[in-house]
Every structure is written in C-alpha cells, then in structure tokens.
Amino acid sequence: MKRWLAIVLCIVLGLSLFQPPIPTAKASYDAISAFPGAEGFGYSAAGGRGGEVYHVTSYELTGPGTFHDALMTAGTTPRTIVFDISGEITIPQIVVSDKSRITIAGQTAPRDGVTIRGNNIRFINCSDIVIRYLRFRMGVQNFNDDTMYFEDCQNVIIDHSSFSWGTDEVLSIKSKDYDNPKSKNITVQWSIISEGLLTHSMGGLIEMNTITMHHNLYAHNNDRNPKTKGQIDFVNNIIYNWGGYPYVAGGESGTKGYGNVTGNYFIAGVNSASPQYAVVRGNENYSLYLENNRIDSNKNGILDGTDTGTGMMEAEKPSVVVPERFEYPPVHMQDPEVAYDYILDHSGASLVRDKVDQRVINSVRKQTGVIIGHENDVGGFPHLAQGRAPRDTDLDGMPDAWEKAKGLNPNNPEDRNGDRNKDGYTNLEDYLNKLAAPGFPVNYPEAPPAWSGTPFIPPVEPTTEPESGPVPSLDGNAVRSVVVRDNSSNGSGNAANWSVEENLQTGDFVAGDRLTGSSVYKFVTIPDELKGMEWIRSAVGSRSATSDDLLSFYLAADADVYVAHDSRITTRPLWLTSSYEDTALIIADDQPVQFKLYKKHYTAGSYVTMGANNSTSSMNYFVILKPANP
C-alpha cells in the first residue's frame, strides 16, 4: 500500500506541478554529425575536422610521439590523433585543460587496438572532443581517481569505447558549479562502463547538464549506474549486476533533474541488493519520464525481464513521474530486447574486443560474474597483439594504398582536408569513418532521426527575497553564539542541520543532513588527541554557500581550533590557508573521505569567522575545538 501511495502521489505531482517551458526555438539536427552514427546532444562535436594530424608512435610515458604529448601539445589548430602502434600504452595522469577541436581516432590502431592504462585522463573546460574505439583501464593505484573525467566541457561525443577499473568513478561527466552548469551537448554511445573497483565501485556521475547516454553497458558497478542530475536522455542501455544502486535519480541533492529513462534493460546479478528497483534514490526535485523499460529481477540466469512501469522505481524514494518525454535530441531507439543484442554485439572497443570486454559481455549473457576489488581478481590486463599501421608516406593519417584507391596523392599531406565526394566530411574523416563502420549493427541508420518541436528548457525558479538574518545561534561548552549564514538556495534548511556536538568519537555521524537515508557517513578514524572533543557538525548542503562569514562563534576559553577540510578539494579557501597551519593529521569517514586537519590557536573571548568551502561538489568542512587546558 505504501508503494502505491507513493507512486500515485508522484504522478499527481508530475501532472500538477510540472510546468512546460515557453516555446523559444524549433528543434532540429541541422549541423553535420561528428561522424555517421553520431546521435544525441553531442552529435555535432567537430573534433579535429580540417586540422592537423598527430601520429602516436611511442610507448614512452612522455615526449615526442607519445599519447601524452598528442594531447598536451594540442593548440589552437584542430588536431586528429591517430595510432601507428597498438597494445598497451601506459600514461601518467593527463589533465587536458582549455583545449578544443580534438579527435582521438582509436580505430586507426593496428592489430588488437589500444588500451590506455596506468593513470587517468581529465578534460577540464574543453570543447569539441571526439573519442572513438579506445579502451581506458586504470586499475589499482596508490590513489583514488576516475578512469576518465570531464568537467565543464561542451560538444563532446564518446563512441565505442571501454572504461573499467576506476578506483573512484569509472566515467564521470559533470559541471563544477551546479548552480551555473557549464557542461552541455555531450553524448556517450555504444560504450562499456564496467567493473568499478571496491571499496568504492562507482559507475560514474553523469550530471549537469545536457547529456545523452544510449546503447551503453554498465556492468558490475556497486553504485551510480549512473548517478544523474540535470538534463539526461538515458535510452537503450543495459545495466547489469549493480550492487547497491542502479540508475540514481538525483540522490539526496536539492539540484533539479529532468531525466528520460526509456528502452533500457536492467538485469539484476548476484550482487544486486534490491533487484526489484531500477531507478532509485529519487526525490521531489527529480522529474522522470519512464517508458518501455525492462527489469529482470529473479536472478535465474535467463533473460526474462518485464516492464513493471513505475513499480521499478524505489517506492520509499520516488521521483516525480511526468507524463511526456522531455524534448531532447532523439536517438534511434529499439525495444529493450532488440537493443540488448545490439549492445552486446557492438558496444565498447568492438572492432577487436580484448579479453576483458569479452568476459564482461559473456557474464551479461550468462548472468554470471561479480563486483571485484582488484583487476587481478579477473586476470588483470590481457595481452594485446601489437602491430604497425600501414605506410603513410605524407603522414596525413591516410595510408598510401587507400589514398591511391581514392584518387588522392600519397605525397601530398594537404589533401587530407579536401572533400573529394562532397559529403561534408574531409577525406581523412572518410577514411576514419570507413574503419569505424563495422562497429554498428548492419543497416543501423547513419543519420540521426528527424527532429522537430520545442527543445525542453528547465523552468526558471521564481526569485525570492533572501530570508532575513541567520539561523539563531547555538551554544556549547567551548563555543558560544555559533551562527551559520548560508546564502545558498536552501540556506536556511542547510543551516538548520548544523549543530554543536560533544565527545567526538568514531561512529559519530559526519554531517547533519546525512543522518538517515542511503548516504549516512560515519567517522572511522580520529586522531587520539581529538577524541572526546567538542565539535561543530556541519551540513553537506552548505558546501554551495559563498558566504564570507558562513560560520562564526565566540570562544569561552583558550583553544586550538581545528578545521577538517575534504582532502579531495585541491584548491583550499584563502581564509583557511592564510590563517591555519596544516597539521598533517587526517580524520576519515566510511565513504571513504579523508579530511585534512588545519589548526589555529585562539585566546578566550576571540571571535572566529570562517568562509566558504571552495567546492560545491565535495564534503563541507567541520570544526573541532580543543581547549588549551582540557
């Protein structure tokens, strides 16, 4: 009864509260596609079209001819990266910032193709990126990180690629500032996101903003398959053997979400704790269109899923169900049973699948396999046959034999950017597209579907006057008149979750707005000298505040004031670094997140002020008080 009541309430809310936007523009697929078969928000990413060619020729970490060099030396001229070598290419961490117009053409690699390993790649504030037919497998390292990460990027398409063995997330795409999202026009298609490593084991954050995910496989990830916020079109994907959570509809965030979940196949595996639910951790801020999906919950080894409608949505944490699909760029959609075979036959770096993808695909077909903690649990990195690319005398990315067959000159590198057949693609692109074509099902349309109508634009929240004054003050033994001035959109609600606590111990809750639900965080390690101390518990939601005086209080006695700041935040706030010393001490919770402890001594009667967290996506800081004479 409880479940049906929740569902009815969601539908009523969806019908009564959802306000379609005022029409502003007609929709269309009117730009040239990145390549034949490109669809969704990122379909028209220009990549390296019309620019230069970089040949990857070296297995070294850095230097001329390396994959690292290919990305890091890209400038204002569009660049297409081709591979004259194959096999494993080990990289240092590569952070690609403020670059644009890059195509990474993994389909050019000979023999068994290329696997990128050893570290991860992060794209920050980049645009017009095309990635095709590559494997990215990180594996256990001495650090936690995503296999691949995009932040504040626009016009991106990832096609027929394989991602695995991340120690944080496997593939994440997000905006840094959720209140002003900069990520847009992104597609992930025909790819495999698998085997996030325990203890974290996360498929990925796909958040903020316009993102299409279609014909992908998520397999053997405990959580975030994916976790979504903002605008997402999630079509014709397979999610297999999630552990705790499959598709996460916003989680505990107050951030708005508008998701289409259509034509997908959710298949529970041995690790699936709640096999009856496909869409979980929703809330009143997440609007969901749910249509024509299948869920196979019985773990009987046979594909026999059914469409349970809103019954596949977590009853205790439902989203707001809306009656019509959000108008996002459509993709060629099939019934889940047809898409299931398409995905298993063609997803990932499928021109030549390595043993990792073969094993993962077979585990889906046979409904076997488990979530792993180390790549060696499943045999580690497989051997890849290496080879050399065919002769390319003028280094224009097109082999001599192909150029001669097409009437081009193998001694003239400039003809790569001609268009001999007037199809809108350069001659180099024609060659790349020919190599990539076998990765699509036979007769799969090369052009995206016709599209007309009014693109969905999220409704603008009505502006309201900020609430007057801070939340009333709090008192403790060491602190007096603790005041929280949270100026974010939910400031008063966040501030109400702050508190002054006694006797800090392992097992205590970390955050005042994470005391219940699925994201309950508790301390697991505390330096001995700080156990038993008074402390100020904050709210995760206050990480979005920009107040210079977010927290203030008076000290009743001489004390050392410790600020615990999330170690994942690489840029510390100035108010912290300018006044507090790094103690080299760590306090950790069970997420797991480590907080670095900073200290400053104050005398009795001091008025202490602390500002913003300097990150809207990581944990908010909290404060520990150690009296001079406890």
Side-chain angles (χ1 to χ4, degrees):
M1 183 66 183
K2 182 179 178 182
R3 175 187 297 179
W4 289 109
L5 180 58
I7 291 170
V8 169
L9 287 173
C10 286
I11 294 173
V12 170
L13 281 169
L15 290 169
S16 61
L17 298 181
F18 180 74
Q19 296 290 328
I22 298 172
T24 57
K26 290 294 182 181
S28 66
Y29 272 124
D30 54 3
I32 186 172
S33 299
F35 49 81
E39 302 177 79
F41 277 115
Y43 86 101
S44 63
R49 179 180 299 135
E52 64 192 15
V53 176
Y54 189 106
H55 289 254
V56 176
T57 58
S58 172
Y59 294 100
E60 297 296 321
L61 284 175
T62 61
T66 63
F67 186 57
H68 174 272
D69 196 61
L71 288 169
M72 297 307 292
T73 63
T76 57
T77 301
R79 172 172 287 185
T80 296
I81 300 170
V82 300
F83 294 84
D84 292 357
I85 59 175
S86 56
E88 289 185 358
I89 296 178
T90 301
I91 61 168
Q93 185 181 58
I94 301 176
V95 180
V96 185
S97 297
D98 301 307
K99 295 183 182 293
S100 63
R101 300 293 303 273
I102 299 173
T103 291
I104 309 175
Q107 68 267 38
T108 59
R111 297 294 297 273
D112 285 351
V114 163
T115 294
I116 306 297
R117 63 168 293 179
N119 213 310
N120 74 335
I121 303 176
R122 303 173 74 83
F123 289 89
I124 312 295
N125 194 32
C126 294
S127 63
D128 286 288
I129 307 297
V130 177
I131 299 174
R132 306 190 74 186
Y133 290 97
L134 282 170
R135 309 179 194 95
F136 301 89
R137 309 200 191 282
M138 195 165 75
V140 170
Q141 306 288 331
N142 295 321
F143 53 85
N144 289 335
D145 215 329
D146 304 346
T147 303
M148 182 171 283
Y149 175 88
F150 286 83
E151 179 183 289
D152 291 348
C153 294
Q154 304 86 39
N155 304 324
V156 175
I157 187 163
I158 299 170
D159 173 66
H160 283 93
S161 292
S162 300
F163 304 86
S164 65
W165 300 343
T167 51
D168 190 1
E169 318 283 330
V170 177
L171 173 65
S172 285
I173 301 170
K174 58 184 291 186
S175 294
K176 184 175 182 179
D177 183 355
Y178 284 8
D179 294 326
N180 182 30
K182 296 182 180 178
S183 294
K184 64 180 180 179
N185 297 334
I186 297 171
T187 292
V188 181
Q189 62 175 39
W190 299 100
S191 292
I192 297 175
I193 302 99
S194 70
E195 295 186 330
L197 299 179
L198 294 167
T199 56
H200 206 50
S201 187
M202 301 288 175
L205 301 170
I206 305 296
E207 304 179 333
M208 310 305 293
N209 219 4
T210 49
I211 301 170
T212 299
M213 301 198 75
H214 73 94
H215 294 94
N216 301 300
L217 168 63
Y218 279 87
H220 306 302
N221 305 300
N222 178 61
D223 192 356
R224 301 178 182 172
N225 290 280
K227 183 178 180 182
T228 69
K229 298 174 188 175
Q231 296 176 253
I232 181 168
D233 204 29
F234 194 75
V235 182
N236 277 157
N237 301 285
I238 297 173
I239 300 85
Y240 172 64
N241 191 37
W242 62 90
Y245 307 101
Y247 181 99
V248 178
E252 292 70 40
S253 171
T255 304
K256 296 293 185 180
Y258 307 92
N260 295 324
V261 178
T262 56
N264 302 287
Y265 218 125
F266 296 85
I267 307 167
V270 65
N271 298 115
S272 301
S274 299
Q276 73 275 30
Y277 292 142
V279 179
V280 299
R281 290 161 60 194
N283 59 49
E284 69 279 4
N285 296 306
Y286 198 103
S287 298
L288 177 74
Y289 177 70
L290 192 67
E291 180 70 21
N292 194 31
N293 300 285
R294 307 287 183 269
I295 185 164
D296 187 350
S297 304
N298 54 32
K299 305 183 185 182
N300 65 355
I302 301 170
L303 187 71
D304 54 4
T306 58
D307 186 352
T308 61
T310 53
M312 67 180 68
M313 181 174 62
E314 184 179 8
E316 292 76 15
K317 294 182 179 181
S319 301
V320 178
V321 177
V322 298
E324 295 184 359
R325 175 186 176 273
F326 293 107
E327 189 67 42
Y328 300 150
V331 305
H332 291 289
M333 188 174 74
Q334 303 83 42
D335 283 335
E337 294 81 4
V338 176
Y340 171 89
D341 285 326
Y342 277 7
I343 295 165
L344 296 187
D345 288 343
H346 297 280
S347 62
S350 58
L351 295 179
V352 181
R353 276 185 172 151
D354 70 352
K355 289 185 178 180
V356 177
D357 281 351
Q358 292 175 27
R359 175 179 50 76
V360 169
I361 292 293
N362 287 337
S363 75
V364 180
R365 292 192 187 279
K366 298 177 181 178
Q367 296 188 22
T368 57
V370 296
I371 297 170
I372 63 173
H374 196 292
E375 64 268 21
N376 291 343
D377 295 343
V378 287
F381 287 87
H383 172 75
L384 297 176
Q386 296 182 355
R388 302 294 299 184
R391 179 183 293 276
D392 178 9
T393 300
D394 56 10
L395 300 178
D396 60 1
M398 302 177 292
D400 293 356
W402 191 84
E403 287 203 67
K404 291 176 181 177
K406 303 300 179 182
L408 301 175
N409 184 351
N411 294 298
N412 175 18
E414 300 306 319
D415 62 5
R416 69 184 182 277
N417 291 327
D419 183 6
R420 58 180 181 80
N421 57 8
K422 309 302 180 185
D423 63 352
Y425 295 108
T426 66
N427 295 326
L428 173 58
E429 287 180 293
D430 284 342
Y431 171 67
L432 301 179
N433 296 337
K434 168 187 171 293
L435 293 180
F440 291 96
V442 174
N443 296 324
Y444 191 86
E446 291 189 348
W451 183 31
S452 62
T454 304
F456 173 77
I457 299 174
V460 177
E461 293 293 314
T463 56
T464 57
E465 292 295 322
E467 297 185 21
S468 59
V471 168
S473 63
L474 307 168
D475 287 323
N477 294 318
V479 292
R480 297 285 192 273
S481 300
V482 178
V483 176
V484 180
R485 298 177 177 85
D486 186 330
N487 63 356
S488 63
S489 59
N490 189 38
S492 60
N494 295 332
N497 288 314
W498 290 61
S499 60
V500 178
E501 302 291 328
E502 298 178 351
N503 191 24
L504 177 64
Q505 299 290 338
T506 57
D508 286 349
F509 295 107
V510 177
D513 50 355
R514 295 290 190 272
L515 304 179
T516 60
S518 58
S519 297
V520 174
Y521 310 139
K522 297 182 179 182
F523 293 117
V524 293
T525 59
I526 299 173
D528 288 341
E529 59 264 44
L530 296 181
K531 289 182 178 178
M533 296 296 107
E534 184 171 279
W535 63 292
I536 301 173
R537 177 188 283 149
S538 68
V540 177
S542 288
R543 64 193 177 186
S544 298
T546 59
S547 315
D548 292 332
D549 55 353
L550 174 59
L551 173 67
S552 65
F553 53 86
Y554 289 90
L555 283 171
D558 292 0
D560 289 332
V561 177
Y562 289 81
V563 179
H565 198 256
D566 191 330
S567 64
R568 298 171 299 178
I569 302 172
T570 55
T571 304
R572 309 284 167 189
L574 182 61
W575 65 263
L576 180 63
T577 56
S578 63
S579 300
Y580 291 75
E581 63 173 298
D582 187 346
T583 67
L585 296 174
I586 292 292
I587 186 169
D589 68 19
D590 55 2
Q591 250 194 99
V593 168
Q594 291 187 336
F595 296 83
K596 298 183 69 173
L597 286 165
Y598 297 80
K599 180 180 75 172
K600 183 177 180 180
H601 183 77
Y602 289 89
T603 57
S606 294
Y607 178 66
V608 182
T609 302
M610 299 178 183
N613 190 48
N614 229 33
S615 171
T616 60
S617 59
S618 298
M619 293 290 287
N620 194 41
Y621 65 85
F622 57 92
V623 178
I624 304 170
L625 296 308
K626 184 179 180 182
N629 297 298

mmCIF file of all heavy atoms in Angstrom, residues 370-396:
data_model
loop_
_atom_site.group_PDB
_atom_site.id
_atom_site.type_symbol
_atom_site.label_atom_id
_atom_site.label_comp_id
_atom_site.label_asym_id
_atom_site.label_seq_id
_atom_site.Cartn_x
_atom_site.Cartn_y
_atom_site.Cartn_z
ATOM 1 N N VAL A 370 30.871 -11.117 -10.781
ATOM 2 C CA VAL A 370 30.670 -10.391 -9.531
ATOM 3 C C VAL A 370 31.407 -9.057 -9.589
ATOM 4 O O VAL A 370 32.252 -8.826 -10.453
ATOM 5 C CB VAL A 370 31.188 -11.196 -8.321
ATOM 6 C CG1 VAL A 370 30.397 -12.483 -8.140
ATOM 7 C CG2 VAL A 370 32.685 -11.494 -8.462
ATOM 8 N N ILE A 371 31.102 -8.197 -8.646
ATOM 9 C CA ILE A 371 31.834 -6.955 -8.453
ATOM 10 C C ILE A 371 33.192 -7.294 -7.853
ATOM 11 O O ILE A 371 33.302 -8.140 -6.970
ATOM 12 C CB ILE A 371 31.040 -5.999 -7.547
ATOM 13 C CG1 ILE A 371 29.717 -5.617 -8.234
ATOM 14 C CG2 ILE A 371 31.846 -4.751 -7.225
ATOM 15 C CD1 ILE A 371 28.756 -4.868 -7.337
ATOM 16 N N ILE A 372 34.253 -6.636 -8.331
ATOM 17 C CA ILE A 372 35.612 -7.007 -7.950
ATOM 18 C C ILE A 372 36.310 -5.872 -7.208
ATOM 19 O O ILE A 372 35.879 -4.724 -7.253
ATOM 20 C CB ILE A 372 36.442 -7.428 -9.171
ATOM 21 C CG1 ILE A 372 36.602 -6.250 -10.148
ATOM 22 C CG2 ILE A 372 35.813 -8.632 -9.861
ATOM 23 C CD1 ILE A 372 37.556 -6.521 -11.305
ATOM 24 N N GLY A 373 37.408 -6.227 -6.536
ATOM 25 C CA GLY A 373 38.194 -5.241 -5.816
ATOM 26 C C GLY A 373 39.546 -4.970 -6.421
ATOM 27 O O GLY A 373 40.237 -4.024 -6.035
ATOM 28 N N HIS A 374 39.971 -5.803 -7.369
ATOM 29 C CA HIS A 374 41.285 -5.649 -7.988
ATOM 30 C C HIS A 374 41.216 -6.264 -9.371
ATOM 31 O O HIS A 374 40.569 -7.303 -9.576
ATOM 32 C CB HIS A 374 42.347 -6.363 -7.142
ATOM 33 C CG HIS A 374 43.758 -5.956 -7.457
ATOM 34 N ND1 HIS A 374 44.376 -6.264 -8.657
ATOM 35 C CD2 HIS A 374 44.673 -5.276 -6.714
ATOM 36 C CE1 HIS A 374 45.614 -5.790 -8.642
ATOM 37 N NE2 HIS A 374 45.828 -5.180 -7.484
ATOM 38 N N GLU A 375 41.894 -5.640 -10.339
ATOM 39 C CA GLU A 375 41.861 -6.182 -11.698
ATOM 40 C C GLU A 375 42.424 -7.596 -11.762
ATOM 41 O O GLU A 375 42.037 -8.401 -12.626
ATOM 42 C CB GLU A 375 42.610 -5.261 -12.665
ATOM 43 C CG GLU A 375 44.094 -5.100 -12.409
ATOM 44 C CD GLU A 375 44.429 -3.926 -11.510
ATOM 45 O OE1 GLU A 375 43.532 -3.472 -10.762
ATOM 46 O OE2 GLU A 375 45.585 -3.473 -11.549
ATOM 47 N N ASN A 376 43.315 -7.945 -10.825
ATOM 48 C CA ASN A 376 43.882 -9.298 -10.822
ATOM 49 C C ASN A 376 42.869 -10.360 -10.408
ATOM 50 O O ASN A 376 43.094 -11.552 -10.625
ATOM 51 C CB ASN A 376 45.110 -9.358 -9.912
ATOM 52 C CG ASN A 376 46.284 -8.572 -10.474
ATOM 53 O OD1 ASN A 376 46.306 -8.247 -11.662
ATOM 54 N ND2 ASN A 376 47.249 -8.251 -9.635
ATOM 55 N N ASP A 377 41.754 -9.921 -9.806
ATOM 56 C CA ASP A 377 40.694 -10.874 -9.469
ATOM 57 C C ASP A 377 40.113 -11.532 -10.716
ATOM 58 O O ASP A 377 39.515 -12.614 -10.628
ATOM 59 C CB ASP A 377 39.562 -10.169 -8.708
ATOM 60 C CG ASP A 377 39.998 -9.634 -7.355
ATOM 61 O OD1 ASP A 377 41.065 -10.070 -6.858
ATOM 62 O OD2 ASP A 377 39.277 -8.793 -6.792
ATOM 63 N N VAL A 378 40.257 -10.870 -11.861
ATOM 64 C CA VAL A 378 39.704 -11.401 -13.108
ATOM 65 C C VAL A 378 40.779 -11.551 -14.180
ATOM 66 O O VAL A 378 40.504 -11.483 -15.373
ATOM 67 C CB VAL A 378 38.547 -10.506 -13.616
ATOM 68 C CG1 VAL A 378 37.298 -10.691 -12.755
ATOM 69 C CG2 VAL A 378 38.960 -9.022 -13.628
ATOM 70 N N GLY A 379 42.012 -11.712 -13.738
ATOM 71 C CA GLY A 379 43.076 -11.991 -14.692
ATOM 72 C C GLY A 379 43.941 -10.818 -15.076
ATOM 73 O O GLY A 379 44.916 -10.989 -15.807
ATOM 74 N N GLY A 380 43.601 -9.623 -14.609
ATOM 75 C CA GLY A 380 44.422 -8.454 -14.890
ATOM 76 C C GLY A 380 44.385 -8.019 -16.344
ATOM 77 O O GLY A 380 43.476 -8.372 -17.100
ATOM 78 N N PHE A 381 45.376 -7.258 -16.734
ATOM 79 C CA PHE A 381 45.438 -6.719 -18.093
ATOM 80 C C PHE A 381 45.787 -7.846 -19.072
ATOM 81 O O PHE A 381 46.812 -8.510 -18.910
ATOM 82 C CB PHE A 381 46.490 -5.621 -18.192
ATOM 83 C CG PHE A 381 46.095 -4.337 -17.517
ATOM 84 C CD1 PHE A 381 46.348 -4.134 -16.166
ATOM 85 C CD2 PHE A 381 45.456 -3.337 -18.230
ATOM 86 C CE1 PHE A 381 45.983 -2.955 -15.538
ATOM 87 C CE2 PHE A 381 45.077 -2.155 -17.617
ATOM 88 C CZ PHE A 381 45.346 -1.962 -16.263
ATOM 89 N N PRO A 382 44.969 -8.059 -20.092
ATOM 90 C CA PRO A 382 45.249 -9.135 -21.048
ATOM 91 C C PRO A 382 46.315 -8.743 -22.059
ATOM 92 O O PRO A 382 46.554 -7.557 -22.314
ATOM 93 C CB PRO A 382 43.897 -9.331 -21.746
ATOM 94 C CG PRO A 382 43.272 -7.980 -21.704
ATOM 95 C CD PRO A 382 43.700 -7.359 -20.399
ATOM 96 N N HIS A 383 46.931 -9.747 -22.640
ATOM 97 C CA HIS A 383 47.902 -9.486 -23.703
ATOM 98 C C HIS A 383 47.184 -8.969 -24.944
ATOM 99 O O HIS A 383 46.114 -9.458 -25.316
ATOM 100 C CB HIS A 383 48.664 -10.769 -24.048
ATOM 101 C CG HIS A 383 49.532 -10.632 -25.254
ATOM 102 N ND1 HIS A 383 50.738 -9.952 -25.242
ATOM 103 C CD2 HIS A 383 49.365 -11.078 -26.544
ATOM 104 C CE1 HIS A 383 51.270 -9.972 -26.445
ATOM 105 N NE2 HIS A 383 50.471 -10.649 -27.255
ATOM 106 N N LEU A 384 47.776 -7.975 -25.578
ATOM 107 C CA LEU A 384 47.255 -7.434 -26.837
ATOM 108 C C LEU A 384 48.318 -7.596 -27.920
ATOM 109 O O LEU A 384 49.488 -7.250 -27.713
ATOM 110 C CB LEU A 384 46.902 -5.953 -26.693
ATOM 111 C CG LEU A 384 45.801 -5.576 -25.700
ATOM 112 C CD1 LEU A 384 45.668 -4.065 -25.616
ATOM 113 C CD2 LEU A 384 44.468 -6.193 -26.095
ATOM 114 N N ALA A 385 47.902 -8.105 -29.055
ATOM 115 C CA ALA A 385 48.826 -8.242 -30.178
ATOM 116 C C ALA A 385 49.168 -6.857 -30.715
ATOM 117 O O ALA A 385 48.281 -6.049 -30.999
ATOM 118 C CB ALA A 385 48.207 -9.097 -31.277
ATOM 119 N N GLN A 386 50.460 -6.580 -30.826
ATOM 120 C CA GLN A 386 50.910 -5.292 -31.343
ATOM 121 C C GLN A 386 51.148 -5.375 -32.845
ATOM 122 O O GLN A 386 51.303 -6.449 -33.410
ATOM 123 C CB GLN A 386 52.192 -4.857 -30.634
ATOM 124 C CG GLN A 386 52.013 -4.606 -29.146
ATOM 125 C CD GLN A 386 53.284 -4.121 -28.482
ATOM 126 O OE1 GLN A 386 54.337 -4.055 -29.110
ATOM 127 N NE2 GLN A 386 53.198 -3.752 -27.210
ATOM 128 N N GLY A 387 51.139 -4.229 -33.472
ATOM 129 C CA GLY A 387 51.389 -4.171 -34.905
ATOM 130 C C GLY A 387 51.755 -2.772 -35.320
ATOM 131 O O GLY A 387 51.802 -1.855 -34.500
ATOM 132 N N ARG A 388 52.029 -2.585 -36.577
ATOM 133 C CA ARG A 388 52.341 -1.280 -37.124
ATOM 134 C C ARG A 388 51.292 -0.885 -38.147
ATOM 135 O O ARG A 388 50.763 -1.724 -38.879
ATOM 136 C CB ARG A 388 53.713 -1.284 -37.795
ATOM 137 C CG ARG A 388 54.867 -1.682 -36.903
ATOM 138 C CD ARG A 388 55.124 -0.695 -35.780
ATOM 139 N NE ARG A 388 55.471 0.636 -36.256
ATOM 140 C CZ ARG A 388 55.823 1.645 -35.449
ATOM 141 N NH1 ARG A 388 55.844 1.467 -34.139
ATOM 142 N NH2 ARG A 388 56.134 2.830 -35.948
ATOM 143 N N ALA A 389 50.988 0.375 -38.185
ATOM 144 C CA ALA A 389 49.991 0.874 -39.128
ATOM 145 C C ALA A 389 50.524 0.769 -40.559
ATOM 146 O O ALA A 389 51.734 0.748 -40.785
ATOM 147 C CB ALA A 389 49.646 2.315 -38.800
ATOM 148 N N PRO A 390 49.634 0.725 -41.546
ATOM 149 C CA PRO A 390 50.098 0.697 -42.943
ATOM 150 C C PRO A 390 50.844 1.978 -43.301
ATOM 151 O O PRO A 390 50.691 3.020 -42.660
ATOM 152 C CB PRO A 390 48.795 0.562 -43.737
ATOM 153 C CG PRO A 390 47.709 0.998 -42.818
ATOM 154 C CD PRO A 390 48.158 0.656 -41.434
ATOM 155 N N ARG A 391 51.679 1.896 -44.344
ATOM 156 C CA ARG A 391 52.531 3.013 -44.745
ATOM 157 C C ARG A 391 51.700 4.258 -45.054
ATOM 158 O O ARG A 391 50.693 4.207 -45.756
ATOM 159 C CB ARG A 391 53.354 2.623 -45.966
ATOM 160 C CG ARG A 391 54.274 3.765 -46.485
ATOM 161 C CD ARG A 391 55.015 3.343 -47.725
ATOM 162 N NE ARG A 391 55.976 2.286 -47.427
ATOM 163 C CZ ARG A 391 57.206 2.496 -46.957
ATOM 164 N NH1 ARG A 391 57.615 3.737 -46.730
ATOM 165 N NH2 ARG A 391 58.019 1.481 -46.740
ATOM 166 N N ASP A 392 52.154 5.361 -44.502
ATOM 167 C CA ASP A 392 51.525 6.667 -44.744
ATOM 168 C C ASP A 392 52.653 7.657 -45.017
ATOM 169 O O ASP A 392 53.156 8.339 -44.133
ATOM 170 C CB ASP A 392 50.704 7.083 -43.522
ATOM 171 C CG ASP A 392 50.052 8.453 -43.658
ATOM 172 O OD1 ASP A 392 50.093 9.017 -44.771
ATOM 173 O OD2 ASP A 392 49.505 8.945 -42.651
ATOM 174 N N THR A 393 53.058 7.724 -46.271
ATOM 175 C CA THR A 393 54.261 8.475 -46.644
ATOM 176 C C THR A 393 54.179 9.945 -46.254
ATOM 177 O O THR A 393 55.133 10.517 -45.718
ATOM 178 C CB THR A 393 54.501 8.353 -48.166
ATOM 179 O OG1 THR A 393 54.664 6.971 -48.495
ATOM 180 C CG2 THR A 393 55.734 9.134 -48.591
ATOM 181 N N ASP A 394 53.040 10.582 -46.505
ATOM 182 C CA ASP A 394 52.940 12.016 -46.243
ATOM 183 C C ASP A 394 52.395 12.335 -44.844
ATOM 184 O O ASP A 394 52.161 13.499 -44.523
ATOM 185 C CB ASP A 394 52.097 12.714 -47.315
ATOM 186 C CG ASP A 394 50.705 12.108 -47.456
ATOM 187 O OD1 ASP A 394 50.316 11.278 -46.601
ATOM 188 O OD2 ASP A 394 50.008 12.454 -48.422
ATOM 189 N N LEU A 395 52.161 11.282 -44.014
ATOM 190 C CA LEU A 395 51.746 11.454 -42.620
ATOM 191 C C LEU A 395 50.465 12.276 -42.474
ATOM 192 O O LEU A 395 50.299 13.054 -41.529
ATOM 193 C CB LEU A 395 52.874 12.087 -41.795
ATOM 194 C CG LEU A 395 54.184 11.286 -41.730
ATOM 195 C CD1 LEU A 395 55.226 12.047 -40.915
ATOM 196 C CD2 LEU A 395 53.952 9.907 -41.146
ATOM 197 N N ASP A 396 49.563 12.084 -43.419
ATOM 198 C CA ASP A 396 48.295 12.816 -43.342
ATOM 199 C C ASP A 396 47.190 12.003 -42.688
ATOM 200 O O ASP A 396 46.028 12.411 -42.691
ATOM 201 C CB ASP A 396 47.863 13.284 -44.733
ATOM 202 C CG ASP A 396 47.647 12.137 -45.716
ATOM 203 O OD1 ASP A 396 47.821 10.960 -45.326
ATOM 204 O OD2 ASP A 396 47.329 12.429 -46.889
#
